[in-house]
Amino acid sequence: MSSVNDLIAGVCEQHCKQLLSQISSDHTLSTRLKQRIRRHPARVPTLSEFASQNNISSRSLQRRLAEEGTSYHDIVHTMRMSLAAQFLEQTGRSIKDICFHLGYSEVPNFQRAFKLW
């Protein structure tokens, strides 16, 4: 019976280690920003707002994102592009609706950004 308990304990320990590694990777600032944009694409926080929400300075946010190999602007740009493509491919929404859903104030601004992508 003790070998069964040891086996179960080993499986549980392995599973816990796996979960802990996922938690630590999910808590990078870049991942948090991507999740925030995905949840509220029409209201992307400014760099200073996002820094404040994470209890760090704007400069520290920029430094930590650089350590992760990215920048605030790159993440926002990439997420908007990805969401725009997803909405265009998978929904019947109009371009105007998608534009406003992604936080653009005017359709020409969205069209210009989309052409650049």
Side-chain angles (χ1 to χ4, degrees):
M1 192 68 165
S2 66
S3 64
V4 171
N5 287 337
D6 291 341
L7 179 64
I8 291 172
V11 169
C12 289
E13 183 179 353
Q14 183 70 21
H15 186 69
C16 288
K17 285 179 181 177
Q18 187 178 30
L19 289 173
L20 285 172
S21 71
Q22 287 175 349
I23 290 170
S24 64
S25 68
D26 287 348
H27 283 78
T28 62
L29 285 170
S30 59
T31 302
R32 283 190 235 161
L33 179 57
K34 289 173 186 176
Q35 290 171 345
R36 170 64 172 77
I37 294 169
R38 199 172 282 119
R39 281 192 312 268
H40 306 287
R43 179 61 185 104
V44 175
T46 64
L47 184 139
S48 59
E49 288 172 341
F50 187 72
S52 178
Q53 291 166 0
N54 285 278
N55 300 316
I56 58 174
S57 69
S58 296
R59 182 65 191 123
S60 292
L61 173 61
Q62 291 172 324
R63 245 189 329 273
R64 292 200 25 211
L65 288 175
E67 289 170 4
E68 293 178 30
T70 190
S71 72
Y72 177 85
H73 175 75
D74 288 345
I75 292 171
V76 171
H77 178 78
T78 302
M79 288 301 298
R80 278 186 164 166
M81 181 177 61
S82 173
L83 289 170
Q86 178 184 345
F87 292 148
L88 288 169
E89 290 175 351
Q90 298 175 0
T91 67
R93 292 178 158 176
S94 69
I95 291 176
K96 184 177 182 178
D97 185 40
I98 292 170
C99 159
F100 295 123
H101 186 73
L102 292 175
Y104 289 92
S105 58
E106 300 287 332
V107 174
N109 296 340
F110 172 72
Q111 290 172 325
R112 192 170 23 261
F114 198 83
K115 284 178 185 177
L116 289 173
W117 297 333

